[in-house]
């Protein structure tokens, strides 16, 4: 199935791609957390495939994954809030969504 993007301005397309990249990075970090965090095993929000090149288990890697899980809770909460705002007002701009998500872009 081919999708025509002729109706989307190039700047909007770039913004969508940037949002997609941030979302992809979040998903990759969630994979790591789901494999190594002690929190994720008890409180997993969703199932993700296990990483192929697994690191040996240890307290440092668990602590790091637990810390990532704690920090990413803010991102997850922000996405839930964005969904609520969009459901209340479907005309929420793409730039507003990008502005909120971009705060979590890695350096």
């Amino acid at each position: 199935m081919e999708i025509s993007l002729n109706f989307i301005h190039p700047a909007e397309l770039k913004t969508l791609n940037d949002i997609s990249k941030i979302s992809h990075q979040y998903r990759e970090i969630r994979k790591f957390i789901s494999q190594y965090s002690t929190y994720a095993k008890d409180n997993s929000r969703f199932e993700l495939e296990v990483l192929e090149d697994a690191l040996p288990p240890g307290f440092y890697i668990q602590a790091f994954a637990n810390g990532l899980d704690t920090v990413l809770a803010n991102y997850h909460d922000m996405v839930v809030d964005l969904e609520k705002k969009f459901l209340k007002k479907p005309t929420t701009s793409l730039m507003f969504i990008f502005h909120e998500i971009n705060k979590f872009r890695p350096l």
Side-chain angles (χ1 to χ4, degrees):
M1 182 171 135
E2 189 174 317
I3 300 172
S4 174
L5 299 176
N6 295 337
F7 64 93
I8 297 178
H9 189 275
E12 290 175 323
L13 191 56
K14 182 183 179 326
T15 302
L16 282 171
N17 284 332
D18 289 345
I19 290 171
S20 177
K21 286 177 188 175
I22 294 168
S23 301
H24 177 74
Q25 290 168 342
Y26 172 76
R27 185 167 172 77
E28 291 299 311
I29 294 169
R30 289 298 321 163
K31 284 183 197 178
F32 178 85
I33 291 169
S34 70
Q35 182 152 355
Y36 296 107
S37 174
T38 55
Y39 298 156
K41 290 174 181 55
D42 300 331
N43 194 17
S44 181
R45 292 186 181 107
F46 48 88
E47 293 285 324
L48 292 171
E49 61 273 10
V50 176
L51 298 172
E52 293 176 15
D53 301 330
L55 298 170
F59 291 121
Y60 291 112
I61 197 83
Q62 282 181 349
F64 180 67
N66 289 345
L68 285 174
D69 192 40
T70 300
V71 170
L72 285 182
N74 293 333
Y75 176 83
H76 179 77
D77 293 343
M78 182 272 310
V79 170
V80 170
D81 288 342
L82 277 175
E83 289 173 350
K84 289 177 185 176
K85 287 176 185 175
F86 185 78
L87 290 173
K88 286 182 182 177
K89 186 180 176 189
T91 57
T92 302
S93 75
L94 184 61
M95 286 310 294
F96 175 78
I97 293 169
F98 175 74
H99 174 72
E100 293 297 309
I101 289 178
N102 195 46
K103 295 174 187 175
F104 293 90
R105 177 179 282 199
L107 299 175

